[in-house]
Structures are given as C-alpha cells and as structure tokens.
Amino acid sequence: MKKIIAMLLAVIVIAALGTTAFAADKTYTMVVGHAQPEGNPRYVSMEKFAADVAEKTDGHVKVTVYGNGQLGTEKEMLEQVVQGTIQGMRGGQFDFSPRLLMFTAPFLTQTRAQVTALLQSDLAKKVCAEAEETTGTVIINLCDAGGYRQFSNNSHPITRPEDLKGLKMRTNGMKTIDMTFQAMGANTISVPYADLYMGLKTGVADGQENPWVNVVGMKFYEVQKYFTAVNYQFHPDPFYINADWWNSLPEEYRTIISECATEMGEYNDQLIDENSEAAKQAIIDSGAQVYDPTEEEIQAFVDAAQPVYDQMVAEGICTAEEMQEMKDIVAAA
C-alpha cells in the first residue's frame, strides 16, 4: 500500500512540474517599439507576438509593445536597442545593417513567392548573422515591411519615369530609394515617417513612396492627389533584439521567442496580402487618382532603374556575386 501511495505521489509531482515548467524561473521584460499605427499589419502581428510569447512562457517573458512611434523615430528606437534601453524594435531601418539594403533593389521581385524565397534564403540568414558582429543586435525574424511600394505626389500623374523629373520626393534616407528616384530625375528629401503627413501637407515634399497599407494607415491620401501602382520595391522588416539581453535568456525562452517571431512574420505577410487591395480601393474611394501602368510603361520604369544595380555593387551594399544570387533565387521561386 505504501508503494502505491508513493507512486501516486510521484505521478502527482511529475504532473505538477509538467504544468508549471517555468515556475522556478525569473520573469523577463521585453519592451519592443515600432512606428506603425493601430490596424497596420506590423501593429496587429506584434500584438499577436506579445500574446503568443506570454502564453508559451507561462507569463515568464512579458512583452510590452509600443507602436505608432511612441518611443521615437525608427532610427532612435534602433539606437535604444543597441544601447540596451529597450530590448527590441521592428522596422525597415537599415542604418546599422546596411547590407539588408541588397533586398531592396528596385523591381527585383514581382510576387509574394519571390519575396518569401529571398527573405528565407541562406543569403538572408548570412546577412542577418552579420548584424550581431557589427551592431550588437540579433535579427530574430525578417518579414515584409508592408508590401510593394508605390509612388505618389501632388503635382501631376506619374505614368513614365520622366514625370518624376524635378519633383521633391520624400525618402527615409534609404540609399536604394534615393538612387532609384535620382536615376529617374527626381530630387530627394529625407523626412521621418512620423512627420511625413505634415511634410506632404505643407509642401516640404511633393511626393513619397509607400505600400498601400501604409498610405491608408497614415492617411497620406488626404495630402496626396496622384498615385501610381508601380510595385517598384519591397522592404525587409527586421526584428532587432539587443544581443546581450537575448544571450542572457535561457535557451528554452530563446527557442519559444524565435518560434513566435516566425509565426508573427508569416501572419504579418498574410495580413499584407489580404489588406493591400482593400487599401488601394480605399485610396481610390477617397477621391485620389490611382494610375495602373501598362506592362510597357512598367518596363520603362524598370529600364530607368537599372543603373541602381551597378551603384549598389559599387557602394558595397552587395557584391556582384550576391546580386546574381538574388536574381537566381527570384528566378527559381
């Protein structure tokens, strides 16, 4: 009888330990910032990430997400991650990881399958691994920052590259955006994302480039008259984590957070695909003009952007071999 009781007690103890696997562990706080407003795929997918991490760690990793630029500009938030002031930041900010710019070559891809193939490639993993060595951050996920990017302005419809000549086009300081606009004759001006609405309203910039979901989320259609569905570029959306904090976590927590980040990225890209056409229609319904170029007109933009590829290699964003590797990945997708 004593043996039976002992066995039952052992079973109870094992069951209790199994349901409270993290009971003896300390609690970790993970503060994450990003620039997108409520309703944007980044905002929604980050809320899912926070909930998933809390659930799968039994509350031992508490993720607090500050969206809508509450913690500063993307550059400021990334600096906070590097300094360890906050633990994470999501956004297309490449100042500290400029090699990620290789994936923003204009007109490199045309489909979601091609984008996914690039972001999940060995080349992408290699570039992400370089971040820890150079910046003290770990990139735990690389998804799409918002979908294909479009042109808009307040002066006239953009139906050919020549229509960009002389326009003041806003950029976020990203070299490949600057290179693309300049190859087509536009002037570029850097304006932080959070300040862009007022910058367009007051004429600091004539136009901008962003995905449909961003345009709707930030209501840029209120201060822009003409849009062109050019699909010229997508941006990787790196999820930066402070390396010291990350490496201080128990391995099981790093595994759980990585898995949750992967699910978050897949959900983010799904939301972008589901919402992009609806966002485009909302812009049309607002009264703004949206121009859909013909295949021949798109080819003219593609041809005008070709010098950017040589510039990217010349400036060390990628090697000629890496450029060819990207083209091969896209062709095989």
Side-chain angles (χ1 to χ4, degrees):
M1 186 68 180
K2 290 181 179 179
K3 289 183 178 180
I4 294 174
I5 293 174
M7 289 173 64
L8 289 173
L9 287 173
V11 169
I12 292 170
V13 169
I14 291 170
L17 289 172
T19 57
T20 58
F22 307 118
D25 289 347
K26 61 182 285 190
T27 298
Y28 296 86
T29 299
M30 183 180 186
V31 176
V32 181
H34 66 86
Q36 294 295 0
E38 189 171 355
N40 182 276
R42 186 182 297 164
Y43 192 107
V44 176
S45 61
M46 282 303 301
E47 293 298 308
K48 169 181 167 55
F49 170 78
D52 287 350
V53 170
E55 177 185 351
K56 293 181 179 181
T57 63
D58 288 343
H60 286 282
V61 179
K62 178 177 173 54
V63 182
T64 304
V65 182
Y66 292 91
N68 207 22
Q70 294 180 72
L71 301 182
T73 66
E74 289 190 337
K75 184 175 181 179
E76 289 168 344
M77 285 187 280
L78 185 50
E79 288 172 346
Q80 292 172 56
V81 174
V82 173
Q83 295 164 0
T85 308
I86 63 176
Q87 286 69 52
M89 174 267 182
R90 248 189 80 190
Q93 177 57 243
F94 308 139
D95 281 15
F96 298 151
S97 299
R99 294 256 296 149
L100 285 171
L101 284 172
M102 71 172 69
F103 302 111
T104 68
F107 302 102
L108 178 62
T109 68
Q110 291 80 45
T111 67
R112 166 61 63 198
Q114 293 171 344
V115 170
T116 300
L118 272 179
L119 296 184
Q120 294 182 358
S121 67
D122 290 339
L123 177 61
K125 292 173 184 175
K126 179 184 78 171
V127 173
C128 287
E130 295 170 359
E132 184 170 2
E133 299 175 12
T134 58
T135 69
T137 64
V138 176
I139 298 175
I140 64 170
N141 185 256
L142 199 62
C143 57
D144 188 342
Y148 282 112
R149 304 177 77 87
Q150 322 298 345
F151 298 157
S152 74
N153 81 107
N154 268 329
S155 299
H156 51 253
I158 297 172
T159 64
R160 54 183 188 155
E162 292 80 4
D163 293 329
L164 283 156
K165 286 185 177 178
L167 291 179
K168 291 184 297 181
M169 298 298 290
R170 176 267 178 180
T171 82
N172 60 2
M174 188 181 295
K175 279 188 177 182
T176 53
I177 301 177
D178 290 339
M179 290 173 181
T180 302
F181 278 144
Q182 290 163 6
M184 297 180 188
N187 301 314
T188 56
I189 180 169
S190 182
V191 180
Y193 189 69
D195 300 333
L196 181 52
Y197 183 98
M198 286 305 298
L200 295 169
K201 184 176 182 178
T202 58
V204 171
D206 297 318
Q208 59 88 50
E209 54 76 57
N210 257 295
W212 299 125
V213 292
N214 290 10
V215 170
V216 170
M218 299 295 282
K219 299 184 178 181
F220 295 147
Y221 56 81
E222 294 181 348
V223 289
Q224 292 280 269
K225 298 176 183 177
Y226 308 104
F227 290 81
T228 303
V230 71
N231 288 359
Y232 89 103
Q233 193 184 53
F234 84 91
H235 288 179
D237 187 354
F239 190 174
Y240 293 99
I241 305 294
N242 177 273
D244 288 341
W245 181 83
W246 178 254
N247 292 324
S248 74
L249 292 174
E251 183 178 355
E252 58 187 335
Y253 288 160
R254 293 200 301 270
T255 299
I256 290 171
I257 293 171
S258 294
E259 291 172 350
C260 291
T262 297
E263 293 174 7
M264 172 207 68
E266 293 171 351
Y267 184 49
N268 174 83
D269 293 354
Q270 175 188 333
L271 289 174
I272 289 171
D273 292 343
E274 291 174 353
N275 295 337
S276 287
E277 281 302 314
K280 179 182 177 183
Q281 187 59 49
I283 294 165
I284 295 170
D285 293 343
S286 76
Q289 295 184 30
V290 175
Y291 183 74
D292 289 292
T294 65
E295 288 186 15
E296 291 77 13
E297 288 170 331
I298 288 292
Q299 189 60 48
F301 286 104
V302 173
D303 294 341
Q306 286 309 296
V308 176
Y309 284 66
D310 291 335
Q311 284 182 272
M312 291 173 65
V313 173
E315 296 204 14
I317 293 172
C318 62
T319 65
E321 291 75 17
E322 288 169 335
M323 183 67 76
Q324 187 58 52
E325 184 176 352
M326 289 193 296
K327 291 178 180 179
D328 292 342
I329 292 167
V330 167

XYZ file of all heavy atoms in Angstrom, residues 91 94 117 204 217 331:
36
model
N 11.244 47.195 -37.788
C 11.067 48.229 -38.805
C 12.172 48.207 -39.833
O 13.254 47.674 -39.597
N 17.784 50.452 -41.700
C 18.987 49.723 -42.068
C 20.270 50.500 -41.802
O 21.333 50.116 -42.290
C 18.933 49.328 -43.546
C 17.673 48.601 -43.933
C 17.037 48.873 -45.125
C 17.117 47.653 -43.096
C 15.870 48.210 -45.484
C 15.953 46.980 -43.438
C 15.335 47.257 -44.637
N 10.944 33.727 -50.835
C 12.152 32.957 -51.157
C 13.410 33.742 -50.813
O 14.381 33.187 -50.279
C 12.146 32.581 -52.631
N 6.780 70.425 -47.906
C 8.194 70.123 -47.691
C 8.652 69.108 -48.738
O 9.763 69.189 -49.259
C 8.427 69.578 -46.260
C 9.851 69.063 -46.103
C 8.140 70.675 -45.233
N -3.014 53.630 -43.514
C -2.804 53.719 -42.074
C -2.416 55.111 -41.617
O -2.843 55.576 -40.553
N 14.380 33.874 -59.712
C 14.032 33.114 -60.912
C 13.536 31.716 -60.579
O 12.689 31.166 -61.294
C 15.245 33.046 -61.854
